[in-house]
Amino acid sequence: QVQLVEAGGGLVQAGGSLRLSCAASGDAFSRLRMGWFRQDPGKEREFVAYISWSASSTFYADSVKGRFSISRDNAKYTVYLQMNSLKPEDTAVYYCAANPRGFYSSPNYDYWGQGTQVTVSS
């Protein structure tokens, strides 16, 4: 069993930056593939970024490419999402997830955090 706890959300002005973290508990974190998703009320959960267990592969949604960066520290059981040049349309609840069952961009993961709110004001 894996538990995920996100932190780092908040209110930021457009153009600003935030760094989200996702701390994992449980065994075998270093072998888990991890993803970040976001969701606005009334909308479907949207893929943001993915990182493989070794960090050798990363993928991003087109909407965040060049602005967001995903990374991980396996020694600390933590995955990060650095968000730069934030826009109002980035406002959402951000979730980290572990162990995709299918394609990495599909919200079909075994484990999910509780989410952290990111609000970008214009």
Side-chain angles (χ1 to χ4, degrees):
Q1 188 73 12
V2 175
Q3 293 184 328
L4 304 173
V5 178
E6 300 97 336
L11 174 64
V12 64
Q13 287 189 332
S17 299
L18 282 174
R19 188 173 84 152
L20 305 183
S21 62
C22 173
S25 62
D27 296 333
F29 173 78
S30 61
R31 295 194 295 273
L32 290 175
R33 295 172 291 156
M34 303 293 294
W36 283 98
F37 289 77
R38 64 188 183 187
Q39 189 169 22
D40 255 346
K43 295 185 179 179
E44 293 186 353
R45 194 162 291 190
E46 174 189 26
F47 168 73
V48 175
Y50 163 88
I51 189 166
S52 63
W53 66 270
S54 65
S56 59
S57 296
T58 57
F59 299 102
Y60 298 91
D62 288 343
S63 58
V64 307
K65 204 171 292 183
R67 300 188 297 122
F68 289 13
S69 177
I70 189 171
S71 62
R72 67 190 295 161
D73 186 335
N74 287 342
K76 294 183 178 179
Y77 280 43
T78 301
V79 64
Y80 303 96
L81 185 68
Q82 178 67 43
M83 306 186 295
N84 299 326
S85 302
L86 282 161
K87 304 175 181 180
E89 51 263 43
D90 295 319
T91 295
V93 177
Y94 282 71
Y95 299 90
C96 72
N99 203 35
R101 297 184 183 182
F103 199 58
Y104 63 84
S105 62
S106 172
N108 190 15
Y109 283 57
D110 282 335
Y111 307 103
W112 292 87
Q114 82 289 350
T116 185
Q117 177 71 46
V118 171
T119 303
V120 184
S121 62
S122 57

